[in-house]
Amino acid sequence: MTVPQLLGEYLNRSICQGMTLPHLLMILLGILLITLGGIKGYKPLLLLPIGFGMILGNLPGLQPVGASEFSLLEQGMRSGLFPALIFLGMGAATDFSSLLSNPKLVLLGCAAPIGIAMTLLGMNLAGVPLADAAAMSMAGAANGPTSVYLASKLSPDLIGPIAVAAYLYMALVPVIQPWILRGLTTREERRIQMPAIRESRKSERVCLPLMLFGVCVLVSPGSVWLIGMLCFGNLLREIGVTERLVTVARGTLLDAVTLLLGLMVGASATTTNFVTPATLLLLGIGLIAFVLATASGIGMAKLMNRVCDQKTNPLLGAAGVSAFPDSARIVHEIGQEEDPSNFLLDHATAPNLAGLIGSVLTAGLFWMWLG
Amino acid sequence: MTVPQLLGEYLNRSICQGMTLPHLLMILLGILLITLGGIKGYKPLLLLPIGFGMILGNLPGLQPVGASEFSLLEQGMRSGLFPALIFLGMGAATDFSSLLSNPKLVLLGCAAPIGIAMTLLGMNLAGVPLADAAAMSMAGAANGPTSVYLASKLSPDLIGPIAVAAYLYMALVPVIQPWILRGLTTREERRIQMPAIRESRKSERVCLPLMLFGVCVLVSPGSVWLIGMLCFGNLLREIGVTERLVTVARGTLLDAVTLLLGLMVGASATTTNFVTPATLLLLGIGLIAFVLATASGIGMAKLMNRVCDQKTNPLLGAAGVSAFPDSARIVHEIGQEEDPSNFLLDHATAPNLAGLIGSVLTAGLFWMWLG
Amino acid sequence: MTVPQLLGEYLNRSICQGMTLPHLLMILLGILLITLGGIKGYKPLLLLPIGFGMILGNLPGLQPVGASEFSLLEQGMRSGLFPALIFLGMGAATDFSSLLSNPKLVLLGCAAPIGIAMTLLGMNLAGVPLADAAAMSMAGAANGPTSVYLASKLSPDLIGPIAVAAYLYMALVPVIQPWILRGLTTREERRIQMPAIRESRKSERVCLPLMLFGVCVLVSPGSVWLIGMLCFGNLLREIGVTERLVTVARGTLLDAVTLLLGLMVGASATTTNFVTPATLLLLGIGLIAFVLATASGIGMAKLMNRVCDQKTNPLLGAAGVSAFPDSARIVHEIGQEEDPSNFLLDHATAPNLAGLIGSVLTAGLFWMWLG
Amino acid sequence: MIQTILTGSLALFAVPGPARAVEVTDHGVSLAITGILIVFAGLAAISIFIGLMPKVLKLLEPREEPLPAKPRKRTVTPSDHLDEATLTAIAFVLHAESERASGRNLKVTLGLNPSPWALSSQMRILPGRLK
Amino acid sequence: MIQTILTGSLALFAVPGPARAVEVTDHGVSLAITGILIVFAGLAAISIFIGLMPKVLKLLEPREEPLPAKPRKRTVTPSDHLDEATLTAIAFVLHAESERASGRNLKVTLGLNPSPWALSSQMRILPGRLK
Amino acid sequence: MIQTILTGSLALFAVPGPARAVEVTDHGVSLAITGILIVFAGLAAISIFIGLMPKVLKLLEPREEPLPAKPRKRTVTPSDHLDEATLTAIAFVLHAESERASGRNLKVTLGLNPSPWALSSQMRILPGRLK
Ligand code: NA
Ligand code: NA
Ligand code: NA
């Protein structure tokens, strides 16, 4: 080979040579996600790795890169280990005691399966095969790791776009939900203060994750892996004798897996599976479903106020859409807009957890029926 | 599919449908281990993950779960990487200098191979094939990670029950050993105070793991992987210029692997390999062997007192059974019952390490002969 | 089997039985590396794991050990994941702002491709096939993780010796470079003080890694994986909203991978691929190339002083050889010998980073042409 | 009608062949309804069980202390003497720090004065080593 | 000449067969030259782009604050009152420590005196949890 | 006799086929005895070598400092002045903390008073970066 030959091959194999419009769109989307996360501050811990992974995975002419480089990460994502470690970390990091204080808030978690069901119906109506539509439906609850898990079972080729859609909604909760919350509730409703969270005993807090796990296993056997890890993380946290494991589960392990799973999710969204009508439809239908689910959560809370004596702030219903833990924070912030002394964060955790659990239960059922 | 059809399939595939007595026994055992670890406080860092893994791995009708979800963890366990990382962490966390101060305490480590040999003979006498019996024999030294390693070589199908037995004895050391210690020693013997551990020089502490490694490699080539990691961890610790590596080896890496290996060990104990006469026998024979090994360790220490001038507290012999580092702590506690000024912990580390090393040497020999 | 038979097999399979001169040489080299790292203090975080891995991987008669035990680590090394995580950690740990302050220092990074090209020519001239010679050439820039990555693509059988050579030069920078620095610069040149690093704005620091990544992808598509990770790590660092990810990337993840990759690199250098004329030649030719590259870096800096008005301390040129971040430190120390008020460390980071990037670009090109 | 149009527009997406034939949406409706119903029932069950749990636990362990001041929120009441609060703070951190840092035992020679080292070692809980 | 000798001496190394035939070194020279040239050009491009970047960024964001005192080097100016510096230090560490330790909220009852607990909670930034 | 009964009772366990035939226990006894003997010898060798090591090392490095006060147990002797101990404690923690926290350099302007920031920076050891 001579210098001109080498230069010729060099120019032939440059990035520009293979660049097509879909590649460019994916790269621009990656940059958009990085901007949303890094500059606008929407879930930077998720959007930055996803955005960068999307760029890395969609540079043309680099097919060699990724085949081998991502192989171990891909095993971690597709086998279900990474989603499980994220649930373990969430369980270890989250205080479940608001569930104990006000058990009826658990019912608000029904908003999540409603959003999921609407996404399923919308996608299926649009002609997407049922298994794919079911995998896509998790995006309607803005539940990233569960999307990854269910898609790896029902629709492994679409894991990238489905997970990106789910994580995108999760990141955009602060953009989407406030308008719905303000529009569907009155000023007086938003001012309703919840009774203080009662002090719980250690025995209650230890039994809670075990009980949750038992019920979920009976209700939806396919949810056992993710719910199991969530409950195990919380059990470790509450039982109080395994500080070291809790620290690593909610710290290093959660952070490392968040980073690596994000990169892998981004790299899994490629020109061939992302730049398709189905993905565009999913982004639209999922958004509508998420909005309707939020609305139905608020409606459910208002219904509860009709039935029960003790009033529930209807904002809490919006946290039932899953999108854990962001929708709980938005509920809290909208509540404080009206009345800075109204501290809803801890109360919103209960429907938020219920929505998370409800979406995993639904995923387990879909896997059972369609897997 | 109609709603009734879906409900029919749902009921057919529920957990209750597939539940058999062995499944129930395994789940109850998992709950028992969680209770022992979490409520009674026996080795919670081990028993909680093992117990929960056992529940996760033994829910009926969930065969899909586990095949893929555990795949990476299974590779980590079966390849020997996870046991090695635990030995690395133990080496990095443990001060070996008590060995330097009183080298003759190393001889007390002979209790471990005695316990192992007795388990081997017992199981083999009961009709268990020799390779399986050898794999099971590590339980007689209550050495969890070595059990995992040897079983993955000699008896990969039985890795679950063998490791559970070994970890169970390790956890139950505070239940089993005190009676033997009190019964086989007199009040005066338990009061024997050991001479203060001499200050060691850095050069000694650096050469010690290298020398240990060299001797063990010559004595039992099959032990090189585990002993190598133990000595490497200690070398990093003592050489004093690799703080970052020591911190990660004895911290995050050790904790994360303990958690993940525990889950995997629990999930490997299934109805088909655990609820068998052989496992029940192992639990019985291993316990007897562990008791006899403890007794023979104490006897050896008494024998040393006959021969040597400098008296050795015979309690230290019980730490030679391996079960690192729990038996050393029990020896210390029993010593303090009699005389609160008697600080045996550091001295008991020497026979405890020797027992650990002795059991790995034995495992290496069995692998060589039977692998 | 009887006792004599077992003893016979034991003696037949002992370490001593299989020990040959090459094995002994490798083990001695391992001990030498441990001594260099642990006692002399040359890059202990690298040399200790490599040295111990070399011993573990070269004990004769232990072929079973390593086949399975190292399998997951080998996947991590060969797939390119471990090198990528090291680049991620370096990006997250390094302040790139010296590049912004004095962009012309980037040109000094040309020393790295010069060293690489000379190694390539030397090895190829000596009869080593071109692909192998290209893989070996990274040692001429003392760039360990890039060596591992390129060798896994072009010359997977030689990954061990190549990486060991690269890491060895990196460790020996404090031995090799000072003499060249003192010999090729005058006292006055070494005393040249650089203008203070200008304060950079956040927007600049955020755009820098993105811009670097964009240019490198266009210039050398094969470098995208490693450069991408480096730039992503730095982006996370500078964007300032992902503290958790930065902490784990530059902390635990970097430390754990350094430890595990080191062990694996050492174990990959075996008697069959290391004790060969080619490896010995590589150690010689690589050293000469590294010296010449250092010299050419200094020469380039002197040339820049002829052309530009603002004087550059020619020591900075030596940091352009890659060997990140050690050569920057050596430049700083030699500068302080002459004038303790001369603080060159931050300035030397710019050519050092440029050398690192230059060597990865070269690796990407070689992979494209020869892969 | 709409469905037909949408299905047509998705021709690009629908992979041909029997394995991935577009299913009739009736299945989707059944799936959605059954799924929602079961999950509603599940959440209701969780809600009820959580409500019952404290009562069951009270029956099981009647001898528990009456109101065990939620242990997860550590209340630190600084005395009116400033130095006391300062010392407590230092001691807390020092304790955590020395546990982590290098894992080696700090052998501390203590005077009679309440130095932070003293408070730290009082807080000390022996960490359970793991094997 | 030298090449021939070296090649001969490496007979042990050269794996036989067509796949790994020893290539003529002309290729090596071309490769080295082309590689160096491209990388030189790349580094020069990086150098130029870095030089241009501040100007481009200034055009894009003209309204940025004039000189935003490099935020990465936190300057702590201890007041002449020693206790103030001490308290700041404690508060900084306490804050970091209590964030990490067990992740549980420290409910602190504060007096009026500037105890380190008070300063710590002022520094507090709510950590963004991740899902 | 007992063996026969037990073997019979384990019929469920014994996998049929030649590969896993139940071996005669004589092998087990040989294995156990040989294993114990070799491991005993190994532990004895370790014991002897550990005993010899200090002597060998003393020969090899005769010029080492006489009694190098075991460096792994850091002895902190608090002075009788309380503030000194407090400052040392703060400084130790501050040092560890600022090393970890965000990895960015703390630029500290120091007064003449012995503030904890000053002590912390005295303790500082430059961490070896790794590549
Ligand atoms: Na163990
Ligand atoms: Na999520
Ligand atoms: Na390197």
Side-chain angles (χ1 to χ4, degrees):
Chain A
M1 285 181 290
T2 62
V3 174
Q5 282 172 326
L6 289 171
L7 280 174
E9 194 186 340
Y10 172 69
L11 295 174
N12 267 333
R13 297 182 62 178
S14 81
I15 294 282
C16 305
Q17 207 66 14
M19 187 65 77
T20 62
L21 191 64
H23 287 111
L24 207 65
L25 285 175
M26 294 306 292
I27 292 168
L28 288 175
L29 181 58
I31 293 172
L32 177 70
L33 293 184
I34 291 173
T35 312
L36 282 175
I39 312 297
K40 295 284 173 194
Y42 299 131
K43 288 292 245 186
L45 301 185
L46 297 173
L47 291 196
L48 278 166
I50 293 176
F52 207 87
M54 203 174 274
I55 298 175
L56 273 186
N58 283 289
L59 289 168
L62 290 167
Q63 254 50 34
V65 165
S68 139
E69 280 78 356
F70 279 115
S71 59
L72 271 173
L73 299 184
E74 192 151 17
Q75 272 186 62
M77 178 180 76
R78 290 189 185 276
S79 70
L81 180 64
F82 284 180
L85 292 178
I86 287 182
F87 270 82
L88 181 77
M90 293 198 295
T94 308
D95 186 349
F96 282 20
S97 58
S98 60
L99 290 173
L100 289 168
S101 180
N102 198 345
K104 77 171 187 289
L105 294 181
V106 171
L107 295 172
L108 298 173
C110 295
I114 290 176
I116 292 169
M118 282 187 295
T119 316
L120 171 77
L121 287 177
M123 296 309 293
N124 189 225
L125 203 75
V128 173
L130 205 52
D132 294 340
M136 288 169 170
S137 66
M138 281 302 124
N143 188 334
T146 310
S147 298
V148 169
Y149 185 68
L150 187 61
S152 74
K153 303 294 183 191
L154 296 183
S155 188
D157 295 343
L158 298 176
I159 198 166
I162 292 171
V164 168
Y167 279 118
L168 194 61
Y169 295 146
M170 198 190 301
L172 294 181
V173 162
V175 181
I176 303 169
Q177 285 203 325
W179 308 99
I180 316 169
L181 290 176
R182 287 197 206 96
L184 294 183
T185 53
T186 66
R187 189 167 286 237
E188 279 65 42
E189 285 171 332
R190 293 201 289 279
R191 281 194 169 154
I192 296 174
Q193 297 222 0
M194 303 295 295
I197 298 214
R198 79 164 168 86
E199 307 274 307
S200 54
R201 287 179 301 159
K202 190 189 165 189
S203 61
E204 290 176 287
R205 279 179 278 121
V206 167
C207 288
L208 179 59
L210 291 171
M211 189 273 285
L212 275 181
F213 178 62
V215 175
C216 290
V217 162
L218 291 172
V219 169
S220 174
S223 72
V224 66
W225 179 246
L226 294 185
I227 292 280
M229 286 297 179
L230 182 78
C231 293
F232 179 51
N234 195 252
L235 176 69
L236 288 180
R237 171 196 170 93
E238 298 301 347
I239 212 154
V241 286
T242 53
E243 275 297 318
R244 293 186 67 148
L245 302 186
V246 174
T247 305
V248 80
R250 59 178 282 169
T252 311
L253 215 49
L254 180 57
D255 295 344
V257 170
T258 300
L259 176 64
L260 300 176
L261 179 59
L263 281 171
M264 191 61 230
V265 160
S268 305
T270 61
T271 54
T272 45
N273 66 14
F274 200 95
V275 191
T276 64
T279 301
L280 290 178
L281 253 176
L282 173 60
L283 287 173
I285 290 177
L287 181 61
I288 296 168
F290 187 69
V291 169
L292 292 177
T294 304
S296 64
I298 297 172
M300 235 174 311
K302 291 190 179 192
L303 194 72
M304 267 167 55
N305 279 346
R306 297 265 169 112
V307 179
C308 306
D309 288 340
Q310 200 200 49
K311 293 296 171 219
T312 300
N313 190 316
L315 292 175
L316 295 181
V321 289
S322 193
F324 183 84
D326 304 83
S327 55
R329 212 176 50 230
I330 294 304
V331 163
H332 176 67
E333 285 171 11
I334 300 295
Q336 293 222 312
E337 270 180 21
E338 223 52 69
D339 176 1
S341 76
N342 199 357
F343 199 83
L344 291 174
L345 189 57
D346 286 349
H347 301 94
T349 302
N352 209 187
L353 276 169
L356 180 71
I357 292 169
S359 59
V360 182
L361 290 177
T362 318
L365 292 173
F366 287 173
W367 180 29
M368 187 184 71
W369 284 321
L370 301 167
Chain B
M1 285 181 289
T2 62
V3 174
Q5 281 173 326
L6 289 170
L7 281 174
E9 195 185 342
Y10 172 69
L11 295 174
N12 267 331
R13 296 181 62 179
S14 80
I15 294 282
C16 304
Q17 207 65 16
M19 187 66 77
T20 62
L21 189 64
H23 286 112
L24 207 66
L25 285 175
M26 293 306 293
I27 292 169
L28 288 176
L29 181 58
I31 293 172
L32 176 70
L33 292 184
I34 290 173
T35 312
L36 281 176
I39 311 298
K40 295 286 172 191
Y42 300 131
K43 289 292 248 185
L45 303 184
L46 297 173
L47 291 196
L48 278 165
I50 293 175
F52 207 88
M54 202 174 273
I55 298 175
L56 273 186
N58 284 289
L59 289 167
L62 290 168
Q63 255 48 34
V65 165
S68 139
E69 279 78 357
F70 280 116
S71 59
L72 272 173
L73 299 185
E74 192 153 16
Q75 272 186 63
M77 178 180 77
R78 289 189 185 277
S79 70
L81 180 64
F82 284 180
L85 292 178
I86 286 181
F87 270 83
L88 181 77
M90 291 195 298
T94 309
D95 186 349
F96 282 21
S97 57
S98 60
L99 290 173
L100 289 167
S101 180
N102 199 346
K104 78 171 186 288
L105 294 181
V106 170
L107 295 172
L108 298 174
C110 295
I114 289 177
I116 292 169
M118 280 188 295
T119 317
L120 171 77
L121 286 176
M123 295 310 294
N124 189 225
L125 201 75
V128 174
L130 204 51
D132 294 340
M136 289 169 169
S137 66
M138 282 302 123
N143 187 335
T146 311
S147 298
V148 170
Y149 185 69
L150 187 62
S152 73
K153 303 295 183 192
L154 296 184
S155 188
D157 294 343
L158 298 176
I159 198 165
I162 292 171
V164 168
Y167 279 118
L168 194 62
Y169 295 146
M170 199 191 300
L172 294 181
V173 161
V175 181
I176 304 169
Q177 285 203 325
W179 308 99
I180 316 170
L181 291 176
R182 287 197 206 98
L184 294 183
T185 54
T186 66
R187 189 167 285 239
E188 280 64 43
E189 284 172 331
R190 292 201 289 281
R191 281 193 169 156
I192 295 175
Q193 298 223 359
M194 302 297 295
I197 296 215
R198 79 165 168 87
E199 307 273 307
S200 55
R201 287 179 301 159
K202 190 188 164 188
S203 59
E204 290 176 287
R205 276 179 280 120
V206 167
C207 288
L208 178 58
L210 291 170
M211 189 273 286
L212 274 181
F213 177 62
V215 175
C216 290
V217 163
L218 291 172
V219 169
S220 173
S223 72
V224 66
W225 179 245
L226 295 184
I227 292 281
M229 288 295 179
L230 182 78
C231 293
F232 179 51
N234 195 252
L235 177 69
L236 288 179
R237 171 195 171 94
E238 297 301 348
I239 212 153
V241 287
T242 53
E243 275 297 319
R244 293 186 66 148
L245 302 187
V246 173
T247 305
V248 80
R250 58 177 283 167
T252 310
L253 216 49
L254 179 57
D255 295 344
V257 170
T258 300
L259 176 63
L260 299 177
L261 179 59
L263 280 171
M264 190 62 228
V265 159
S268 306
T270 62
T271 53
T272 44
N273 66 15
F274 200 94
V275 191
T276 64
T279 301
L280 290 178
L281 253 176
L282 173 60
L283 288 172
I285 290 177
L287 180 62
I288 297 167
F290 186 70
V291 169
L292 292 178
T294 304
S296 64
I298 296 171
M300 235 174 311
K302 292 190 179 192
L303 194 72
M304 266 167 56
N305 279 345
R306 297 264 169 113
V307 179
C308 306
D309 287 342
Q310 201 201 50
K311 292 297 172 220
T312 299
N313 190 317
L315 292 175
L316 296 181
V321 289
S322 193
F324 182 84
D326 303 84
S327 56
R329 213 177 48 230
I330 294 304
V331 162
H332 175 68
E333 285 171 11
I334 299 295
Q336 292 223 312
E337 272 180 18
E338 222 52 68
D339 175 3
S341 77
N342 200 358
F343 199 84
L344 291 175
L345 188 58
D346 286 349
H347 301 95
T349 302
N352 208 189
L353 276 169
L356 179 72
I357 292 169
S359 59
V360 182
L361 290 177
T362 317
L365 292 174
F366 286 172
W367 180 27
M368 187 185 72
W369 284 321
L370 301 167
Chain C
M1 285 181 291
T2 62
V3 174
Q5 281 172 327
L6 289 170
L7 280 174
E9 195 185 341
Y10 172 69
L11 294 174
N12 267 333
R13 296 181 63 179
S14 82
I15 294 281
C16 306
Q17 205 66 15
M19 187 66 77
T20 62
L21 191 63
H23 286 111
L24 207 65
L25 286 175
M26 294 305 294
I27 292 168
L28 288 175
L29 181 58
I31 293 171
L32 178 69
L33 293 183
I34 290 173
T35 313
L36 282 175
I39 311 297
K40 295 285 171 193
Y42 300 130
K43 291 291 246 185
L45 302 184
L46 297 173
L47 292 195
L48 278 165
I50 293 175
F52 207 87
M54 202 174 274
I55 298 175
L56 273 186
N58 283 290
L59 288 169
L62 290 168
Q63 254 49 35
V65 165
S68 139
E69 279 78 357
F70 279 116
S71 59
L72 272 173
L73 300 184
E74 192 152 18
Q75 272 186 64
M77 178 179 77
R78 290 189 184 277
S79 70
L81 180 64
F82 284 180
L85 292 178
I86 286 182
F87 270 82
L88 182 77
M90 292 197 296
T94 309
D95 186 348
F96 282 19
S97 58
S98 60
L99 290 173
L100 290 167
S101 180
N102 199 344
K104 77 171 187 290
L105 293 182
V106 170
L107 295 173
L108 297 174
C110 295
I114 290 177
I116 292 169
M118 281 189 295
T119 317
L120 171 77
L121 287 176
M123 295 310 293
N124 190 224
L125 203 75
V128 174
L130 205 51
D132 293 341
M136 289 170 169
S137 66
M138 282 303 123
N143 187 335
T146 311
S147 298
V148 170
Y149 185 68
L150 187 62
S152 74
K153 303 294 182 189
L154 296 183
S155 189
D157 294 343
L158 298 176
I159 198 164
I162 292 171
V164 168
Y167 279 117
L168 194 61
Y169 295 147
M170 198 190 301
L172 293 181
V173 161
V175 180
I176 303 170
Q177 285 203 326
W179 308 99
I180 317 170
L181 290 176
R182 289 197 204 97
L184 294 182
T185 53
T186 66
R187 188 168 286 240
E188 280 66 42
E189 284 172 331
R190 292 201 290 280
R191 282 193 168 156
I192 295 175
Q193 298 224 357
M194 303 297 294
I197 298 216
R198 79 167 168 83
E199 307 274 307
S200 54
R201 287 179 302 159
K202 190 189 166 189
S203 61
E204 291 176 287
R205 278 179 279 120
V206 167
C207 288
L208 180 58
L210 291 171
M211 190 273 285
L212 274 182
F213 177 61
V215 175
C216 289
V217 163
L218 291 172
V219 169
S220 174
S223 72
V224 66
W225 179 245
L226 294 184
I227 292 281
M229 286 297 178
L230 182 78
C231 293
F232 179 52
N234 195 251
L235 177 70
L236 288 179
R237 170 194 171 94
E238 297 300 348
I239 213 154
V241 286
T242 53
E243 275 296 318
R244 293 185 67 147
L245 302 186
V246 174
T247 305
V248 79
R250 60 177 281 168
T252 311
L253 216 48
L254 180 57
D255 295 344
V257 170
T258 300
L259 177 62
L260 299 177
L261 179 59
L263 280 172
M264 191 61 229
V265 159
S268 306
T270 60
T271 52
T272 44
N273 66 15
F274 200 93
V275 190
T276 63
T279 301
L280 290 178
L281 254 176
L282 174 59
L283 288 173
I285 290 177
L287 180 62
I288 296 167
F290 187 68
V291 169
L292 292 176
T294 304
S296 64
I298 296 172
M300 235 175 311
K302 292 191 178 190
L303 194 72
M304 267 167 56
N305 278 345
R306 296 264 169 113
V307 179
C308 305
D309 288 341
Q310 201 200 50
K311 293 296 173 221
T312 299
N313 189 317
L315 293 175
L316 296 182
V321 288
S322 192
F324 182 85
D326 304 84
S327 56
R329 212 176 51 229
I330 293 304
V331 163
H332 176 68
E333 285 171 11
I334 301 294
Q336 293 222 313
E337 271 180 18
E338 222 52 67
D339 175 1
S341 76
N342 200 358
F343 199 83
L344 292 175
L345 188 58
D346 287 348
H347 301 94
T349 303
N352 208 188
L353 276 170
L356 180 71
I357 292 169
S359 60
V360 182
L361 290 177
T362 317
L365 292 173
F366 286 173
W367 181 26
M368 186 184 72
W369 284 321
L370 301 167
Chain D
M1 180 64 186
I2 290 165
Q3 191 195 335
T4 335
I5 295 165
L6 278 167
T7 313
S9 75
L10 283 174
L12 284 169
F13 179 78
V15 179
R20 268 210 169 183
V22 176
E23 287 131 46
V24 186
T25 34
D26 280 0
H27 292 187
V29 175
S30 310
L31 218 69
I33 291 175
T34 328
I36 284 182
L37 286 179
I38 294 175
V39 175
F40 275 25
L43 289 175
I46 290 173
S47 179
I48 292 166
F49 280 118
I50 292 179
L52 291 175
M53 205 172 61
K55 288 154 202 162
V56 175
L57 285 173
K58 225 168 252 171
L59 290 179
L60 290 175
E61 27 174 332
R63 65 206 169 281
E64 195 167 322
E65 67 280 36
L67 216 172
K70 209 178 179 185
R72 48 235 328 265
K73 306 214 173 168
R74 291 173 251 164
T75 308
V76 175
T77 322
S79 72
D80 44 8
H81 183 38
L82 172 65
D83 281 9
E84 186 66 19
T86 309
L87 282 172
T88 311
I90 301 163
F92 162 60
V93 175
L94 187 60
H95 165 64
E97 204 55 51
S98 62
E99 287 269 297
R100 187 169 35 240
S102 82
R104 288 171 183 165
N105 293 324
L106 285 155
K107 189 185 265 177
V108 178
T109 317
L110 293 165
L112 288 169
N113 289 351
S115 88
W117 297 100
L119 287 162
S120 164
S121 68
Q122 281 164 24
M123 280 183 190
R124 183 135 194 194
I125 297 150
L126 271 176
R129 289 204 213 162
L130 47 144
K131 189 175 185 182
Chain E
M1 182 63 187
I2 290 165
Q3 192 195 336
T4 334
I5 295 165
L6 279 167
T7 314
S9 76
L10 283 172
L12 282 170
F13 181 76
V15 178
R20 270 212 168 180
V22 177
E23 288 131 47
V24 187
T25 35
D26 282 359
H27 292 186
V29 175
S30 309
L31 217 69
I33 292 175
T34 327
I36 286 183
L37 286 178
I38 293 174
V39 175
F40 275 26
L43 290 175
I46 289 173
S47 179
I48 291 166
F49 280 119
I50 292 179
L52 291 174
M53 206 172 62
K55 288 155 200 162
V56 174
L57 285 174
K58 225 168 250 171
L59 290 177
L60 289 175
E61 29 173 328
R63 62 205 171 283
E64 194 168 319
E65 68 279 34
L67 215 171
K70 210 178 178 186
R72 49 237 325 267
K73 306 214 174 168
R74 288 174 253 165
T75 308
V76 175
T77 322
S79 73
D80 43 8
H81 183 40
L82 171 66
D83 282 8
E84 186 67 20
T86 308
L87 283 171
T88 311
I90 301 164
F92 161 61
V93 176
L94 188 59
H95 164 66
E97 203 56 50
S98 63
E99 287 269 296
R100 187 170 35 240
S102 82
R104 286 170 184 168
N105 294 323
L106 285 156
K107 191 184 261 174
V108 178
T109 317
L110 293 166
L112 288 170
N113 290 350
S115 87
W117 297 98
L119 286 164
S120 165
S121 69
Q122 281 164 25
M123 280 185 191
R124 182 138 195 192
I125 298 152
L126 273 176
R129 289 204 214 161
L130 47 144
K131 189 177 186 180
Chain F
M1 180 65 187
I2 289 163
Q3 192 194 334
T4 333
I5 294 165
L6 278 167
T7 314
S9 76
L10 283 173
L12 284 169
F13 180 77
V15 179
R20 271 212 169 182
V22 176
E23 286 131 49
V24 186
T25 34
D26 281 358
H27 293 186
V29 175
S30 309
L31 218 68
I33 291 175
T34 327
I36 286 183
L37 285 179
I38 294 175
V39 176
F40 275 25
L43 290 174
I46 290 174
S47 178
I48 291 166
F49 281 119
I50 292 179
L52 290 175
M53 205 171 62
K55 288 153 201 163
V56 175
L57 286 173
K58 225 169 250 171
L59 289 179
L60 289 175
E61 27 172 332
R63 63 204 170 283
E64 195 169 320
E65 67 279 34
L67 215 172
K70 210 179 177 185
R72 48 235 327 266
K73 304 216 174 168
R74 291 172 251 164
T75 307
V76 175
T77 322
S79 73
D80 44 9
H81 183 39
L82 172 64
D83 282 8
E84 186 66 20
T86 309
L87 283 172
T88 311
I90 302 164
F92 161 60
V93 176
L94 188 60
H95 164 66
E97 204 55 50
S98 62
E99 288 269 297
R100 186 170 37 238
S102 82
R104 286 169 184 167
N105 294 322
L106 285 156
K107 191 184 263 175
V108 178
T109 318
L110 294 166
L112 289 170
N113 290 348
S115 88
W117 297 99
L119 286 163
S120 164
S121 69
Q122 281 165 24
M123 280 184 192
R124 183 136 196 193
I125 297 150
L126 272 176
R129 291 204 212 162
L130 46 144
K131 188 176 186 180

